[in-house]
Amino acid sequence: MYLYDQYDQAMVDARVAEFRDQTRRRIEGTLSEEKFRPLRLQNGLYLQLHAYMLRVAVPYGTLSGAQMKMLGDIADKYDRGYGHFTTRQNIQYNWIKLEDTPDLLADLASVEMHAIQTSGNCIRNISSDQYAGAATDELIDPRPYAELLRQWSSFHPEFLALPRKFKICVIASETDRAAMRLHDIGIRIVKNDAGEIGCAFYVGGGMGRTPIIAPLVKEFVPLDQLITYSEACLRVYNRYGRRDNKYKARIKILVHELGLEEYRRQVEEEFAHLQTLAIEPPLAELERIKTYFADPAFETGLPDEIDLSNANFAKWVKANTAPHKAAGYAIATISLKALTRQEDGSVKAGIPGDATGEQIRVMADLAKRYSFDELRVTHTQNIVLPHVRKADLFALWQALVAAELATPNLDDVTDIIACPGLDYCTLANARSIPVAQKVAERMAPKAEEIGELKLKISGCINACGHHHAGHIGILGVDRKGVENYQLLLGGCEGADTSLASIVGPGFNEDGIVDAVEKATNFYLAQRQEGERFLDTYRRLGMAPFKEAIYG
Amino acid sequence: MADPQILLRDGPAATAPTVSLDAFAADTNATAVVIQPGEDARVLLAHLDRLALVEVTFPAFTDGRGFSTARILREAGYKGELRASGDIGVDMLTHLQRCGFDAIAPKDVLDADQIKTALATWPQVYQATVVDGRKPIWALRHGQ
Ligand code: SF4
């Protein structure tokens, strides 16, 4: 894991001191809310429906045990005992007091964390593959490149008042676990024919009201031009991105309106110019960063078999673990989409992405004991322990069971992504969380039979819940002052990225739950051997599903 | 023309009267020009020698195009005064300076103490903008 040196620490400390001063001026009244707003936003502090919400950056989703523990302590000390992990691989606290934030940020800084640029029209936290450094299919660990970009994008003076927010993702495998092409810039680390490592740049993807899958803008950018090329992409956007309409201000609209060729030409021109200036860090800097991401000391000669005689454990292993590049190890995912059986036999679903302060500390401790002190936050709002010895899985599972963190539902229909929606968000049209809970509770009995089905819910067109990329997507809209839900089918964020389409007229809250059930029943009746929901949908198309849902 | 409240270099502020970018193209005697956010600074690159002052406007602090304008001019070797004017808050000062501005004319006068604090906020910087002459952290790390 990356560790701060004195420079990184000084930058974060400087930010805390600056924000302490700004907050003091705000509380004294010498700084108006209007003037304070952009300042707090650059520090991840939003004013929501009921309180301040603070979003903490988790760079490329990687955390140490000590950092995770601090996140749990903060939940108890400054929030009402909860943290909420988000689709941006970050964590949010929903009940923060303004006067507490400087101390909260200082606590974060003490474990090399911050809330810098987690909101506002600037380059946001860089996201990455949650299995980085552990996956069997990656070319190289993508995180050093993400860290290089993190430093470059932190307080970049030219790009702090962009037309709109800007999200960058870096991955290094064919399987895309991070929705890379749904980012403003998606970078895939690739190898060219000469065997050299470089970056493929996809620019202009995104969700929101105009979902677009990013086109490939440059096939191969050598590693020693990564920053320079990124800067060229951003400068063209900062100068020419639309500022007249907030809904047309993302880079995807610029690329679309200019045309891919013209955007590429302008970037190339700026790139050629910027290459004449010494703005690129030396490769030695990348090497320095890389040393922090060296493999942990994996043991060799470990047993590869897992004793699956406990049926519940076997279920969890099947659903929530993935193959690891080192023999004898597995990647384990802790689901934050809890399903708890009630005394009457019914199932109760938790809030997607929520964990209590105590649960967060338990996960921190388990990372220390079983995963070389490392955790990852996934964009599907779960937590990964990337490096677990297969021999330890049973003990890990037992500890998770005790902490109510062992729900075996990864990637099934109850592993739902949901944005905060109308329960917290000022922009929402409809509630997301209760719908997620109702769908999960209804579908739980059939979830195992249905298998992989990615269901994603957004409370408004801004699409924080990634509904466009759901095998099933649900979008909350406002119909004459009443909450209404549209159903979408056929989205996918993987290597074969596709966007979901709206099925037909919207539903009320109970209606949307019925609609999901009808769609899945139809799938179960129609599926062929080995087909996931998405495959059946792709084979049959929308019409028969629509018939089954509305007919 | 907005007079600068803050000068980030020695010497007096430039006094030449500014003209709009359109007028500048027609008036070969003009030595000072105002650029609005939507205008392309690169049309000035052929005339940098005769320019003593370029004023870059920020009608709203949320519109950051002027940051790119400034860097583009400095990257091309512009040596005269580069003045930022308009809706400028104290937190923008270091960023303006890093993009090559050496004179600031905020619409609302800024508090002197806050200016001092703001300009001293960042011990180091992560990026090379080149135009501010500061060594980025990566250069310090590698003894460059
Ligand atoms: S999708 Fe809409 S409702 Fe949900 S968090 Fe985003 S802005 Fe808020």
Side-chain angles (χ1 to χ4, degrees):
Chain A
M1 268 197 59
Y2 187 70
L3 297 175
Y4 283 6
D5 65 2
Q6 81 266 25
Y7 298 113
D8 297 307
Q9 190 67 50
M11 292 301 280
V12 169
D13 291 343
R15 192 19 116 45
V16 175
E18 183 191 47
F19 192 63
R20 196 178 285 283
D21 182 54
Q22 292 163 350
T23 307
R24 181 183 53 76
R25 276 156 43 209
R26 175 74 196 103
I27 291 169
E28 280 172 7
T30 54
L31 194 60
S32 68
E33 168 57 19
E34 184 200 348
K35 287 254 150 45
F36 181 59
R37 191 172 171 274
L39 307 179
R40 64 170 164 75
L41 283 179
Q42 300 259 342
N43 286 287
L45 193 63
Y46 287 78
L47 192 52
Q48 292 291 49
L49 287 175
H50 315 290
Y52 281 100
M53 179 272 277
L54 183 83
R55 184 181 295 150
V56 176
V58 181
Y60 31 90
T62 296
L63 289 162
S64 70
Q67 290 173 328
M68 188 74 163
K69 178 176 179 307
M70 180 59 84
L71 295 180
D73 291 346
I74 285 173
D76 288 340
K77 191 165 158 196
Y78 301 106
D79 190 274
R80 297 183 178 174
Y82 284 91
H84 177 75
F85 291 93
T86 78
T87 54
R88 293 281 307 145
Q89 297 180 293
N90 289 325
I91 183 169
Q92 291 175 185
Y93 297 101
N94 285 318
W95 301 99
I96 296 301
K97 292 196 191 72
L98 177 61
E99 58 271 29
D100 285 345
T101 46
D103 289 339
L104 196 169
L105 293 180
D107 284 354
L108 284 174
S110 74
V111 291
E112 307 183 1
M113 294 188 78
H114 59 76
I116 294 160
Q117 289 170 219
T118 55
S119 53
N121 292 336
C122 51
I123 303 173
R124 301 288 188 88
N125 184 35
I126 315 272
S127 51
S128 186
D129 184 346
Q130 70 263 22
Y131 292 172
T136 51
D137 61 349
E138 74 183 6
L139 180 65
I140 190 169
D141 191 331
R143 291 172 300 164
Y145 311 94
E147 173 59 26
L148 191 73
L149 286 163
R150 180 191 76 82
Q151 296 187 24
W152 162 76
S153 61
S154 296
F155 320 109
H156 195 304
E158 189 177 336
F159 305 130
L160 289 169
L162 295 168
R164 201 76 177 82
K165 57 188 168 184
F166 202 93
K167 301 173 179 179
I168 301 178
C169 175
V170 189
I171 64 170
S173 59
E174 280 297 318
T175 315
D176 179 0
R177 286 171 286 262
M180 177 272 285
R181 291 184 70 188
L182 294 171
H183 284 73
D184 295 286
I185 290 183
I187 295 173
R188 191 197 300 279
I189 310 292
V190 293
K191 203 180 246 181
N192 66 8
D193 294 339
E196 297 151 342
I197 302 278
C199 306
F201 268 71
Y202 296 81
V203 183
M207 297 199 235
R209 64 181 63 203
T210 319
I212 295 182
I213 298 170
L216 182 64
V217 169
K218 199 170 174 70
E219 222 164 279
F220 191 84
V221 176
L223 289 182
D224 59 357
Q225 297 169 4
L226 169 58
I227 295 302
T228 310
Y229 192 78
S230 303
E231 193 142 324
C233 290
L234 260 300
R235 179 176 281 181
V236 171
Y237 171 57
N238 189 42
R239 298 187 75 207
Y240 298 112
R242 285 181 61 172
R243 291 173 187 266
D244 58 326
N245 178 343
K246 135 177 193 203
Y247 298 112
K248 295 193 186 309
R250 295 290 286 269
I251 194 174
K252 62 191 173 189
I253 303 293
L254 176 69
V255 175
H256 181 73
E257 288 183 354
L258 284 178
L260 178 59
E261 281 314 311
E262 177 57 18
Y263 174 73
R264 180 184 287 142
R265 188 193 65 73
Q266 292 191 16
V267 170
E268 282 299 326
E269 215 171 270
E270 202 64 66
F271 182 45
H273 161 67
L274 289 171
Q275 280 182 291
T276 65
L277 307 167
I279 65 168
E280 187 77 33
L283 279 177
E285 175 60 6
L286 195 52
E287 290 307 317
R288 183 191 75 87
I289 294 172
K290 268 189 187 169
T291 57
Y292 292 103
F293 293 96
D295 278 345
F298 294 128
E299 292 168 52
T300 51
L302 292 175
D304 224 22
E305 294 73 47
I306 307 169
D307 176 358
L308 297 174
S309 47
N310 178 314
N312 285 333
F313 172 59
K315 227 184 209 183
W316 180 81
V317 168
K318 182 162 175 262
N320 288 32
T321 66
H324 194 283
K325 67 180 183 185
Y329 285 85
I331 302 171
T333 300
I334 302 170
S335 169
L336 297 184
K337 321 294 169 66
L339 296 173
T340 6
R341 195 157 291 283
Q342 304 301 103
E343 299 212 340
D344 63 2
S346 65
V347 167
K348 198 168 159 7
I351 295 175
D354 266 21
T356 64
E358 184 53 29
Q359 284 177 321
I360 296 173
R361 280 188 295 270
V362 166
M363 293 188 272
D365 181 55
L366 292 174
K368 213 170 258 170
R369 266 156 58 200
Y370 298 122
S371 184
F372 292 96
D373 204 22
E374 238 191 273
L375 309 97
R376 312 288 172 76
V377 183
T378 79
H379 82 276
T380 54
Q381 307 177 277
N382 293 317
I383 300 293
V384 167
L385 299 180
H387 312 297
V388 183
R389 286 191 306 200
K390 287 182 176 171
D392 289 336
L393 282 174
F394 189 71
L396 169 64
W397 174 76
Q398 285 181 308
L400 291 174
V401 169
E404 296 186 7
L405 286 168
T407 308
N409 61 345
L410 192 67
D411 291 338
D412 81 20
V413 62
T414 63
D415 181 11
I416 297 172
I417 292 187
C419 78
L422 202 52
D423 291 297
Y424 297 100
C425 177
T426 48
L427 304 171
N429 287 325
R431 287 163 303 148
S432 311
I433 292 168
V435 173
Q437 290 171 309
K438 280 194 176 174
V439 170
E441 286 162 10
R442 174 83 64 87
M443 300 309 299
K446 279 191 216 152
E448 203 182 341
E449 186 189 358
I450 293 168
E452 183 184 315
L453 200 171
K454 299 192 182 184
L455 199 148
K456 306 179 197 251
I457 305 177
S458 304
C460 82
I461 193 74
N462 286 325
C464 303
H466 298 186
H467 64 274
H468 301 298
H471 299 176
I472 294 180
I474 294 175
L475 167 64
V477 292
D478 177 278
R479 230 182 94 222
K480 300 185 190 123
V482 181
E483 292 169 73
N484 191 265
Y485 296 91
Q486 290 183 334
L487 183 73
L488 297 89
L489 297 177
C492 175
E493 68 208 343
D496 50 349
T497 312
S498 59
L499 297 171
S501 318
I502 295 177
V503 183
F507 301 91
N508 65 16
E509 193 175 306
D510 289 328
I512 192 73
V513 182
D514 294 339
V516 169
E517 189 170 28
K518 284 180 189 162
T520 52
N521 282 344
F522 181 70
Y523 153 70
L524 286 175
Q526 298 294 324
R527 75 170 159 195
Q528 294 177 355
E529 184 66 28
E531 269 185 349
R532 301 169 300 165
F533 178 89
L534 181 67
D535 304 321
T536 305
Y537 172 81
R538 284 179 173 167
R539 178 169 56 79
L540 295 176
M542 177 67 88
F545 275 91
K546 187 170 179 176
E547 171 69 27
I549 294 162
Y550 292 96
Chain B
M1 186 169 89
D3 287 331
Q5 185 198 348
I6 305 163
L7 276 182
L8 298 166
R9 60 172 157 80
D10 299 332
T15 51
T18 52
V19 298
S20 71
L21 195 60
D22 282 346
F24 182 81
D27 177 359
T28 51
N29 289 322
T31 61
V33 65
V34 183
I35 299 194
Q36 306 297 339
E39 295 176 333
D40 182 6
R42 288 205 161 104
V43 303
L44 289 175
L45 298 193
H47 313 287
L48 295 183
D49 287 350
R50 72 170 156 108
L51 275 169
L53 168 63
V54 179
E55 179 178 331
V56 179
T57 65
F58 288 81
F61 70 85
T62 47
D63 186 337
R65 285 179 283 189
F67 291 110
S68 291
T69 300
R71 262 188 88 195
I72 284 168
L73 291 170
R74 290 294 191 213
E75 284 165 5
Y78 172 61
K79 296 275 185 315
E81 180 170 317
L82 192 52
R83 184 182 300 173
S85 71
D87 185 17
I88 292 167
V90 75
D91 61 296
M92 287 165 70
L93 296 180
T94 55
H95 309 310
L96 291 166
Q97 182 175 36
R98 296 212 57 216
C99 287
F101 286 103
D102 56 3
I104 322 274
K107 184 178 67 190
D108 299 329
V109 173
L110 302 177
D111 176 85
D113 281 343
Q114 287 176 24
I115 293 172
K116 239 172 94 194
T117 313
L119 289 173
T121 302
W122 302 108
Q124 308 291 349
V125 296
Y126 272 124
Q127 318 73 9
T129 62
V130 181
V131 299
D132 65 350
R134 291 183 79 168
K135 270 192 187 185
I137 286 169
W138 51 256
L140 301 172
R141 279 175 179 147
H142 298 280
Q144 294 186 347

